[in-house]
Amino acid sequence: MKSTIQNPLVLHHRVDRRCRFSINRDFINFLPILFEQWQSVESYRLNRPAASLVVKLDAGVDCFSWLKVQNIALSKIHVDRVESAFYNIDQDDVELAPLVADGTQAEIAAALASARLDLLPPRLRLPLFALALTTFSIPFELPFFPLLLIVLLAGGRCFDRARISLWDRKRLNVDVLDALAVVLHSFEGFLFGPALMLSMIEGGESIRDATARVAYSSSRSLKADLNREVKVRRGA
């Protein structure tokens, strides 16, 4: 909640030596620290729910001078506490959660290690090449078996993910179904469909890798910013 009081203590009214102050709630927990150090105070009463402080000063004590000293002391305590909490954060002890995503660990590691964003990722080049060849296979009467080999090579990553799902994870998922569809349609003689399917699959995986890279980079930037000092302007 944003406080509308800029100073830690604000004088509301004064009757003789009795003064009532409103308290900025950001500083209310620091008042007990001052209670032990207060001088020239005959008695006081703190009302936390109302954020109010009533102080009866000793005779001859100027209320405004006393208030100025207390505001300076409270502000200093607040700054010291914030800096103490800030420097207690050890950047080396902050560990990022491991990235969890579908696909082979090598693909994920390669995506995170890449510092640049490729307009045409390597995983997408062979599927697009197979798609282009199958598109022009009918007008140019390209031979079937070389095209079949290219389509199956383009599905290498898809087949690898399916192998990991079946053998390593012991489960049937969409990667297995994708690989099965590519193989069945390819041996039916319709190569354009599998090539288009592989291009769409690897395009989606490329987007996933780019997203993982951006998210990981943002997390690293956030971690690096933990030891930066910033100035916050309140009540603006």
Side-chain angles (χ1 to χ4, degrees), residues 125-140 142 147 150-151 191-192 195-196 199:
R125 294 171 186 171
L126 191 55
L128 288 179
F129 178 68
L131 179 62
L133 287 180
T134 55
T135 302
F136 295 104
S137 61
I138 296 179
F140 292 97
L142 299 179
L147 286 178
I150 292 175
V151 171
L191 297 180
F192 176 79
L196 179 61
S199 299

Side-chain angles (χ1 to χ4, degrees), residues 2-10 24 27 75 233-236:
K2 184 182 292 185
S3 176
T4 58
I5 305 172
Q6 299 303 311
N7 293 319
L9 297 176
V10 174
N24 187 328
F27 298 85
S75 299
R233 184 177 179 181
R234 303 192 53 154

Side-chain angles (χ1 to χ4, degrees), residues 20 47 60 67 77 99 105 117 123 125 146 157 159 163 176 208-209 235:
R20 188 173 73 85
N47 187 342
L67 174 62
I77 293 174
L99 181 67
Q105 294 300 319
L117 180 62
R123 68 184 309 152
R125 294 171 186 171
R157 293 176 182 269
F159 300 146
R163 177 189 59 81
V176 178
R208 182 213 65 187
D209 291 344

Side-chain angles (χ1 to χ4, degrees), residues 25-98:
R25 292 188 181 275
D26 293 334
F27 298 85
I28 198 169
N29 292 328
F30 303 140
L31 279 174
I33 301 176
L34 288 185
F35 291 164
E36 302 174 357
Q37 306 172 2
W38 270 353
Q39 298 177 357
S40 306
V41 175
E42 182 176 322
S43 63
Y44 62 86
R45 185 176 74 253
L46 174 63
N47 187 342
R48 287 179 178 270
S52 174
L53 174 68
V54 177
V55 176
K56 187 176 182 180
L57 300 174
D58 292 341
V61 177
D62 180 65
C63 176
F64 295 101
S65 299
W66 183 88
L67 174 62
K68 182 178 180 180
V69 172
Q70 305 312 313
N71 278 337
I72 293 175
L74 283 171
S75 299
K76 185 177 184 302
I77 293 174
H78 182 266
V79 171
D80 291 343
R81 289 298 180 91
V82 171
E83 290 181 350
S84 176
F86 175 78
Y87 287 112
N88 283 338
I89 298 176
D90 188 355
Q91 184 176 357
D92 294 334
D93 292 338
V94 179
E95 296 294 338
L96 295 177

